[in-house]
Amino acid sequence: MNRDSRVSGPGSAFGPGSSDRDAGGGARRGRGAALRIAGLYIGVSLLYIVTSDRIVAAVAPSQSQNAVFQTIKGSGFVLLTGVMLWYLIRRNMSELHRLNESLARQGGRLRILLDDAPIAICLVRRGVLEYLNTAARAMLGPNQELTGTRLLDRVAEPSRAAVQRAVEDVERSGRPARLNEQKLVDTNGREIDVELAACPFAPDEGAVQVAIIDVTERKRLEAGLTQAHKMEAVGKLASGVSHEFNNLLTAILGYSTLARQGLARGAPTTRCLDQIDSVAKHAAGITRSLLTLSRASPALKQLLPLRPIVDEAIDLVRSVVPKTIQLEVATTLPEGASVLVDAAQLKQAILNLAMNARDAMPAGGTLWIRTSFTADHGPGLPHGAAVIRVSDTGVGIPPEVRARLFTPFFTTKPAGKGTGLGLALTRSIIEDHGGSIHVESEVGKGSAFTVSLPCTSPGQPAAAPPTRAGQHVVIVGEDTPEVLSIVTLSLRSAGYTVIPATDGGEVIRLVQEHKDRLDALIMDVGLPTASGVECLIRARQIVPHLPVVLMTGGAMPDLPAEEDRLLERLPKPFRTEALVERLAAVIDERARAASHG
Ligand code: ADP
């Protein structure tokens, strides 16, 4: 763009010489020049008249000669003053011209400075935008002429009264004003969070200069930071509550298993126990989601058939979509297709995608959840991939939103409705499972999110873990009495000799006492007096290569690499069968290592 044409458009308040300061200086100089000219004129004329009268009286002896001399004197006067006036006016005119040029140059520089200022500045005269610099034009209406439109047209409804009052106050009082926490709206309808500073520009003409600072990004970051603090607090709370909750669930699941053992096959009470199991597992899933959100829980992955997981996720989706949305489900995924997966996390990811689809269809539409298998052996997919596609006929995703879709805390939903964590968490879950997520969308037509997960081949059955028991001696360290009692009961009924302990110190004492016949140690990581990790290290100093099962209702601790062998980690809640299996596996591993070594 041509700089000069840009800065001096028609109607611009910054036309040459139009600023008050320039005008004031010019007027003063003009008055000085006029006084000089008048003074000189009067002085020279008086001098001429007096001296010429004397000369005429001295050189004109007769009356008739006097008349001729008077005519010459008068003509001389006209000639002299004419020349003098011409000289003085010319001198002052060229001085004024030089002055004007310098002022215009100065004004031009100032206009460039103003126009290129990184802050949006506009001039408002009686409520109408008279001038906008480049930043203001880019902020408020990049593709539209805004000069001549009303300032209030660019102010969002809730801010209108405050902005109008502030501008009128500045006009009236001539004192500057500042406004924080306001919202403007650009010509595309996008709301912009701003701070405004208004100050008088030409008070006699009712002109006000308004500087606008875009604080949208700062507010977004502040909101993100607040959210992060909140999430940190929620995370701490979640991991504390979940820890306690998981102990209770472990006891519930354990006692339900024990109760089942005393019942005849098909007894009516088994149906109640099935319900207890199912509700307890659902509750366990909720605590795990809480821990995943707060990043306090590692994924609990198992090789599982995918279809039942997706079916359970679809049941959850059904309960959150309104009747105006038609849910269409289709699967070509073979029954045996299995993935190494944390089922609760994957269900959470599918639910997140479906809830976004629901929110994108406020007036209703169709939500599809399709699953399929692709045998494509891409990088990281040696056995093909399971594909889950969640699509909708909603509003679609504009390119600027798409670019930030997976950014934590990015949301276009109103405060209280969106956290901006759904897609960030979904992607982190999918990538943690070795998969990927892709999005396709067309504004006004809908969106589709496609998740691919590394999969076993369809015919390959899920690996069934061996079920074993043994005649071994184990110490169980657990400070929650319900959990200690159910674990002890379950292990005894599986044939183990169990020595219970309720704190870390007691565990160490018992290890020392039974070191010659001890086969394994099972304990909670958060034992009183000595933590699970301390107990593990000290117990292995007493009994080298002691197999250990660590249980926890929260995050698993990191262990020194040399202690990470002959070790099973068991997140709570667990089914007691799982504990028995893991224990057998770790004891077996030591036996194998001993026979090889
Ligand atoms: P939240 O749902 O809390 O806003 P997300 O991370 O789940 O957080 O989504 C971020 C943003 O992505 C949403 O605010 C929305 O603008 C956009 N979005 C996600 N899914 C869809 C969809 N299916 N259709 C339209 N927009 C979507």
Side-chain angles (χ1 to χ4, degrees):
M1 190 196 286
N2 177 311
R3 204 154 254 248
D4 290 337
S5 70
R6 187 177 44 145
V7 296
S8 57
S12 160
F14 299 98
S18 70
S19 93
D20 281 356
R21 237 167 295 152
D22 295 353
R28 263 197 310 281
R29 284 187 171 86
R31 273 198 301 277
L35 271 173
R36 261 201 317 280
I37 292 169
L40 259 169
Y41 176 80
I42 292 165
V44 171
S45 301
L46 284 174
L47 189 70
Y48 180 87
I49 289 166
V50 173
T51 42
S52 62
D53 276 354
R54 297 239 166 111
I55 294 167
V56 170
V59 295
S62 70
Q63 197 66 29
S64 62
Q65 276 173 322
N66 195 2
V68 174
F69 275 112
Q70 285 300 338
T71 308
I72 294 169
K73 190 185 91 174
S75 308
F77 180 76
V78 170
L79 201 67
L80 177 72
T81 51
V83 169
M84 191 179 73
L85 277 176
W86 171 80
Y87 169 74
L88 287 174
I89 289 171
R90 210 185 80 127
R91 224 188 74 170
N92 281 291
M93 282 299 284
S94 57
E95 194 182 325
L96 278 175
H97 187 67
R98 259 202 321 279
L99 196 69
N100 241 350
E101 271 185 350
S102 125
L103 283 174
R105 254 199 318 279
Q106 213 176 324
R109 277 202 214 108
L110 284 174
R111 285 196 305 279
I112 289 167
L113 203 67
L114 187 68
D115 219 57
D116 288 352
I119 189 172
I121 297 171
C122 52
L123 190 73
V124 183
R125 199 185 296 268
R126 292 187 190 89
V128 173
L129 287 165
E130 192 176 283
Y131 163 83
L132 296 100
N133 73 351
T134 309
R137 286 196 298 269
M139 181 195 288
L140 296 175
N143 305 317
Q144 235 165 291
E145 179 57 62
L146 292 176
T147 312
T149 63
R150 278 160 27 97
L151 169 69
L152 287 188
D153 292 346
R154 301 274 62 84
V155 181
E157 184 58 44
S159 297
R160 280 209 186 134
V163 172
Q164 185 168 20
R165 213 175 316 118
V167 172
E168 284 172 3
D169 277 358
V170 174
E171 266 175 32
R172 213 180 16 254
S173 68
R175 276 200 301 274
R178 251 195 114 86
L179 280 178
N180 295 329
E181 304 278 322
Q182 302 301 328
K183 274 189 193 294
L184 299 188
V185 59
D186 74 6
T187 46
N188 296 323
R190 184 180 67 99
E191 288 202 343
I192 313 157
D193 289 301
V194 294
E195 286 175 9
L196 299 172
C199 61
F201 180 76
D204 311 343
E205 302 165 33
V208 174
Q209 178 188 320
V210 182
I212 310 164
I213 304 165
D214 184 345
V215 293
T216 313
E217 186 62 13
R218 195 184 80 197
K219 287 200 77 154
R220 193 186 70 77
L221 290 174
E222 279 170 6
L225 202 63
T226 313
Q227 192 67 24
H229 287 316
K230 265 197 234 161
M231 286 307 295
E232 201 184 327
V234 169
K236 282 189 184 138
L237 188 72
S239 81
V241 170
S242 302
H243 182 84
E244 292 305 316
F245 205 58
N246 284 338
N247 278 332
L248 302 179
L249 289 171
T250 304
I252 292 171
L253 285 169
Y255 280 113
S256 123
T257 308
L258 272 191
R260 208 183 288 274
Q261 284 171 6
L263 289 173
R265 230 171 218 285
T269 324
T270 51
R271 275 207 297 280
C272 299
L273 290 172
D274 287 346
Q275 284 303 318
I276 290 174
D277 279 3
S278 140
V279 171
K281 273 193 219 150
H282 185 57
I286 294 172
T287 47
R288 231 181 353 260
S289 295
L290 263 177
L291 288 170
T292 309
L293 260 177
S294 62
R295 287 283 186 276
S297 145
L300 177 59
K301 292 183 203 145
Q302 285 171 286
L303 191 60
L304 293 171
L306 187 59
R307 273 180 69 161
I309 299 174
V310 176
D311 287 347
E312 279 177 41
I314 289 168
D315 284 343
L316 286 173
V317 172
R318 258 186 242 288
S319 64
V320 295
V321 292
K323 289 203 167 40
T324 47
I325 293 176
Q326 198 178 336
L327 178 62
E328 299 274 350
V329 176
T331 183
T332 55
L333 192 68
E335 290 277 356
S338 302
V339 286
L340 189 61
V341 66
D342 181 321
Q345 286 194 357
L346 184 61
K347 279 188 263 175
Q348 181 69 57
I350 296 171
L351 192 63
N352 288 351
L353 296 177
M355 287 198 299
N356 276 339
R358 176 200 64 187
D359 294 345
M361 298 186 285
T366 308
L367 163 61
W368 284 278
I369 301 182
R370 300 184 183 99
T371 47
S372 56
F373 176 81
T374 163
D376 271 358
H377 291 206
L381 301 173
H383 304 294
V387 178
I388 305 166
R389 191 176 161 88
V390 179
S391 52
D392 62 68
T393 54
V395 291
I397 305 171
E400 67 277 12
V401 171
R402 202 162 152 172
R404 303 169 64 189
L405 219 47
F406 295 99
T407 310
F409 305 114
F410 172 75
T411 181
T412 57
K413 295 175 191 170
K417 289 238 161 140
T419 57
L421 286 172
L423 287 178
L425 180 61
T426 300
R427 182 161 76 176
S428 123
I429 290 174
I430 300 304
E431 289 181 351
D432 187 43
H433 282 75
S436 59
I437 180 164
H438 297 287
V439 57
E440 297 150 69
S441 183
E442 203 173 321
V443 174
K445 297 216 165 145
S447 315
F449 287 79
T450 308
V451 168
S452 304
L453 289 172
C455 188
T456 61
S457 65
Q460 202 170 318
T467 310
R468 309 245 318 271
Q471 294 290 331
H472 298 286
V473 177
V474 294
I475 292 174
V476 177
E478 170 61 64
D479 58 326
T480 308
E482 295 86 352
V483 178
L484 181 61
S485 114
I486 188 62
V487 168
T488 308
L489 274 172
S490 309
L491 291 177
R492 282 185 183 148
S493 71
Y496 288 91
T497 302
V498 181
I499 306 166
T502 53
D503 66 55
E506 194 182 358
V507 167
I508 303 301
R509 191 179 56 69
L510 290 171
V511 170
Q512 185 67 48
E513 196 177 312
H514 300 279
K515 63 179 184 221
D516 297 329
R517 60 184 196 124
L518 191 60
D519 291 295
L521 178 59
I522 300 172
M523 61 191 165
D524 189 77
V525 292
L527 284 179
T529 68
S531 76
V533 177
E534 278 173 65
C535 288
L536 181 149
I537 293 170
R538 287 176 58 192
R540 282 186 175 166
Q541 285 164 356
I542 302 165
V543 182
H545 312 300
L546 180 66
V548 175
V549 177
L550 274 183
M551 309 179 287
T552 179
M556 276 290 173
D558 288 332
L559 280 168
E562 66 276 14
E563 301 296 354
D564 216 358
R565 293 163 294 114
L566 297 174
L567 178 73
E568 285 284 336
R569 293 177 168 86
L570 193 59
K572 290 175 184 173
F574 49 79
R575 293 185 58 83
T576 43
E577 293 96 314
L579 171 65
V580 173
E581 281 157 16
R582 300 280 188 101
L583 180 61
V586 76
I587 292 176
D588 209 31
E589 194 184 335
R590 190 188 53 175
R592 269 202 313 276
S595 68
H596 285 115

